[in-house]
């Protein structure tokens, strides 16, 4: 559930509140709209800045105790000298909310004086990302040790009326992020293909969307031998989930968002090493991103036709599992030699991407935690983006930028295609160690027949370490990218 956001005129910032957050850039003097707050603290704010105790560096924080009147606490957060203002603000807001959550203040105020509507939206998203926690599976601490969860944030703005609308949009997107991060954080025995389908059902019911779910039998009828080869090792029912939100012009070609939904990836017969294998519960972050984005898009009431498509299963070794060397046939008729059963995401996506063609889409964007190679290339700093139409790749990368989820293009050049040629089949599912993110993209390209972009989010959808503003675990990527892409098309 998202934070309750209040919006008030900036003059009220000096009023009593358990915590007032003040976000400032590098080396600033006291802004006039903070005079009242400064007075309420007996001039502490001005002295702190004058002495250089707080210089506003990126991620710098300073916690001050308030005076006898006014805010009980002040938290200064720096944005440094960043040129990407929206991203810096969102980061600072996350950090502030994370600290407020730890303090147990329950509600907070944020001095936001002259923020634009876009900045307010980003700040609301940042606040929600920062205080997010997944504690469903933990026994709550005894009553006396419990801290109040952060439930409410009030933004103090010069133009409060305009801010309200922007805050509501931010909340809608934050709800989408929440859907995605919750699903991603759930362990593999909780977040099953069945649970992803149930979540899609709940989104469909709440927003009156159309839902179609295919199981093993229906996929057999569709000839989805590639997807089904991955599901061959698991007794769980694989699911192809299609969630349609059609608020655009009747009959207008839809945008299709596709997500890899591997609820757990052991590697299959080409099994992964035990060390850090537990992180492979996050192999459904693409799918979580699709569900989160559809939740947000429905809440934003965007006037577009959007289809969310998810390929959900689990990659397990077993007596019935697919083996290296096996050849399977995808629904578009292409035969695939499976060299490595751990390159399963592309096998699932092959059939889901072909399924997308029945919608005659205007554009398709898929997101997948597809390759370790993409993590080697770009780390957690950027999503790998590639596609078959230069303008569309640019459009998606721009959307990712607006969402503060940076993406960087990798080339799908023909020279790399040599690497996925097979001796026995039309194509093989791995292309060796070099250019691994690209050969995976080229594999996917064999199954598309429309303008398409592939986002490899293996390095950006979750983090194995604490990232200062975001705790260890799911980041919510690519929810924002999907939402911005669709919103960009709805204008
Ligand atoms: N889900 C993994 C990719 C992955 C690795 C995501 C690390 C996040 C972090 C994918 O299914 C996989 O196992 N890919 C293999 C492909 C290889 C066998 C060609 C990989 O990257 O090692
Ligand atoms: Mn794998
Ligand atoms: Zn995988």
């Amino acid at each position: 559930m998202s934070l309750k956001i209040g919006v008030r005129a900036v003059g009220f910032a000096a009023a009593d509140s358990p915590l007032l957050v003040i976000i400032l850039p590098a080396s600033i003097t006291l802004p006039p709209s903070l005079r009242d707050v400064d007075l309420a603290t007996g001039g502490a704010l001005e002295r702190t800045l004058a002495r250089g105790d707080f210089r506003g560096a990126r991620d710098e924080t300073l916690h001050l105790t308030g005076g006898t009147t006014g805010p009980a606490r002040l938290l200064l957060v720096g944005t440094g000298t960043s040129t990407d203002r929206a991203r810096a603000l969102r980061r600072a807001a996350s950090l502030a909310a994370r600290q407020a959550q730890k303090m147990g203040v329950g509600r907070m105020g944020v001095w936001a004086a002259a923020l634009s509507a876009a900045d307010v939206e980003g700040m609301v998203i940042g606040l929600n990302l920062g205080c997010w926690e997944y504690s469903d599976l933990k026994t709550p601490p005894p009553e006396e040790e419990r801290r109040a969860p952060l439930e409410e944030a009030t933004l103090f703005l010069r133009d409060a009326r305009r801010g309200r609308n922007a805050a509501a949009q931010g909340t809608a997107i934050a709800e989408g992020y929440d859907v995605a991060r919750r699903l991603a954080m759930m362990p593999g025995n909780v977040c099953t293909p069945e649970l992803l389908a149930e979540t899609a059902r709940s989104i469909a019911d709440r927003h009156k969307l159309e839902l179609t779910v295919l199981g093993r039998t229906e996929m057999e009828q569709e000839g989805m031998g590639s997807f089904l080869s991955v599901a061959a090792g698991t007794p769980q029912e694989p699911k192809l989930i299609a969630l349609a939100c059609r608020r655009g012009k009747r009959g207008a070609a839809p945008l299709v968002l596709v997500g890899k939904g591997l609820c757990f990836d052991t590697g299959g017969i080409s099994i992964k090493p035990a060390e850090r294998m537990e992180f492979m519960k996050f192999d459904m972050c693409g799918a979580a991103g699709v569900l989160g984005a559809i939740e947000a898009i429905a809440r934003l009431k965007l006037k577009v036709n959007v289809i969310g498509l998810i390929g959900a299963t689990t990659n397990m070794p077993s007596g019935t599992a697919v083996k290296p060397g096996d050849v399977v046939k995808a629904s578009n008729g292409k035969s695939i030699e499976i060299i490595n059963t751990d390159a399963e995401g592309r096998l699932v996506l092959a059939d889901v991407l072909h399924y997308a063609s029945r919608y005659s889409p205007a554009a398709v964007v898929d997101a997948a935690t597809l390759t370790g190679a993409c993590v080697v290339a770009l780390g957690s700093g950027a999503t790998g983006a590639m596609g078959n139409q230069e303008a569309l790749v640019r459009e998606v990368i721009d959307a990712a930028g607006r969402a503060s989820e940076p993406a960087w293009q990798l080339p799908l050049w023909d020279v790399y295609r040599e690497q996925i040629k097979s001796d026995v089949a039309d194509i093989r599912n791995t292309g060796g160690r070099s250019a691994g993110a690209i050969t995976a993209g080229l594999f996917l390209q064999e199954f598309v027949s429309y303008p398409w972009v592939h986002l490899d989010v293996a390095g950006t959808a979750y983090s194995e370490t604490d990232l200062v503003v975001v705790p260890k675990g799911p980041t919510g990527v690519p929810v924002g990218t999907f939402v911005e892409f669709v919103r960009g098309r709805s204008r």
Side-chain angles (χ1 to χ4, degrees):
M1 246 254 301
S2 61
L3 283 174
K4 186 172 179 304
I5 302 286
V7 177
R8 299 197 73 183
V10 72
F12 291 97
D16 294 350
S17 88
L19 172 72
L20 178 68
V21 171
I22 299 170
I23 297 174
L24 295 170
S27 53
I28 197 172
T29 51
L30 191 75
S33 60
L34 275 171
R35 284 271 166 246
D36 291 351
V37 178
D38 189 44
L39 279 176
T41 62
L45 203 50
E46 169 122 69
R47 284 196 302 280
T48 300
L49 294 179
R51 281 187 194 134
D53 291 353
F54 176 84
R55 292 160 190 254
R58 190 176 79 138
D59 298 343
E60 182 183 355
T61 57
L62 186 69
H63 179 185
L64 300 172
T65 296
T68 47
T69 61
R73 304 169 188 83
L74 297 177
L75 181 67
L76 310 186
V77 185
T79 55
T81 54
S82 166
T83 48
D84 188 341
R85 181 181 148 88
R87 202 166 154 205
L89 270 173
R90 176 161 150 170
R91 186 178 174 95
S94 288
L95 193 53
R98 210 179 160 194
Q99 298 241 5
Q101 179 76 287
K102 282 186 198 143
M103 284 181 209
V105 287
R107 60 195 175 88
M108 69 195 285
V110 185
W111 175 78
L115 291 196
S116 69
D119 288 345
V120 168
E121 182 185 297
M123 179 173 272
V124 168
I125 294 171
L127 291 171
N128 276 287
L129 290 178
C131 65
W132 184 83
E133 272 176 354
Y134 178 75
S135 51
D136 292 13
L137 305 177
K138 286 187 177 170
T139 307
E143 196 81 56
E144 61 277 13
E145 284 170 32
R146 257 177 244 175
R147 287 177 171 244
L150 186 65
E151 282 172 344
E152 207 179 319
T154 305
L155 308 185
F156 297 104
L157 276 168
R158 199 159 290 154
D159 188 348
R161 206 155 38 98
R162 219 176 39 173
R164 268 186 204 111
N165 191 28
Q169 310 240 333
T171 296
I173 297 169
E175 289 284 356
Y177 273 111
D178 182 63
V179 166
R181 286 173 96 188
R182 278 183 56 78
L183 288 170
M185 198 61 166
M186 289 174 189
N189 61 334
V190 176
C191 183
T192 56
E194 183 68 49
L195 185 93
L196 289 179
E198 278 167 26
T199 306
R201 165 66 59 205
S202 130
I203 296 171
D205 287 350
R206 281 186 289 109
H207 300 293
K208 302 196 168 50
L209 314 180
E210 299 157 42
L211 177 70
T212 312
V213 180
L214 311 192
R216 223 183 269 273
T217 319
E218 293 85 355
M219 286 191 243
E220 271 158 15
Q221 285 158 3
E222 295 284 342
M224 298 185 169
S226 185
F227 187 153
L228 287 171
S229 74
V230 178
T234 174
Q236 284 175 346
E237 186 76 356
K239 305 276 183 193
L240 192 156
I241 303 162
L243 187 55
C245 181
R246 298 179 190 271
R247 298 224 174 91
K249 285 206 187 79
R250 199 175 238 279
L255 302 171
V256 180
L257 309 176
V258 176
K260 168 178 173 182
L262 262 288
C263 292
F264 197 83
D265 177 14
T266 66
I269 297 297
S270 315
I271 199 161
K272 288 178 182 294
E275 190 154 2
R276 302 186 319 144
M277 199 204 273
E278 70 277 14
F279 287 109
M280 282 301 117
K281 73 172 180 178
F282 291 124
D283 214 16
M284 36 57 72
C285 282
V290 169
L291 291 176
I294 300 286
E295 173 76 46
I297 288 161
R299 282 177 185 259
L300 289 169
K301 303 197 160 51
L302 298 182
K303 294 202 165 18
V304 267
N305 297 332
V306 186
I307 318 282
L309 281 185
I310 288 168
T313 187
T314 309
N315 188 17
M316 297 292 282
S318 90
T320 57
V322 73
K323 313 175 289 301
D326 285 1
V327 174
V328 297
K329 197 166 182 170
S331 47
N332 71 341
K334 288 198 180 172
S335 62
I336 304 165
E337 182 187 10
I338 297 178
I339 300 296
N340 189 319
T341 65
D342 197 11
E344 85 299 339
R346 64 198 75 180
L347 295 173
V348 168
L349 290 176
D351 282 325
V352 181
L353 286 171
H354 178 65
Y355 189 82
S357 63
R358 75 188 50 203
Y359 297 102
S360 307
V364 177
V365 183
D366 81 71
T369 45
L370 204 64
T371 67
C374 191
V375 189
V376 173
L378 300 170
S380 62
T383 292
M386 49 214 107
N388 59 3
Q389 212 184 70
E390 202 54 30
L392 184 62
V393 175
R394 277 275 41 103
E395 185 182 347
V396 173
I397 289 178
D398 287 347
R402 290 198 300 279
S404 301
E405 296 178 347
W408 197 258
Q409 187 176 9
L410 300 175
L412 287 187
W413 289 330
D414 259 359
V415 285
Y416 300 105
R417 286 201 65 234
E418 293 301 315
Q419 291 175 236
I420 52 171
K421 285 196 170 149
S422 166
D423 298 333
V424 292
D426 296 333
I427 188 177
R428 48 192 263 169
N429 82 328
T430 62
R433 280 175 58 81
S434 69
I438 292 171
T439 52
L442 282 170
F443 180 94
L444 298 180
Q445 193 172 36
E446 296 290 318
F447 303 89
V448 309
S449 50
Y450 37 68
W452 157 80
V453 170
H454 159 58
L455 297 173
D456 193 330
V457 294
T460 49
Y462 72 94
S463 173
E464 300 186 8
T465 55
D466 192 300
L467 293 175
V468 187
V469 282
V470 195
K472 197 158 85 172
T475 58
V477 171
V479 171
T481 304
F482 277 153
V483 171
E484 282 306 326
F485 170 64
V486 172
R487 184 152 65 170
R489 289 262 177 148
S490 77
R491 286 198 260 254

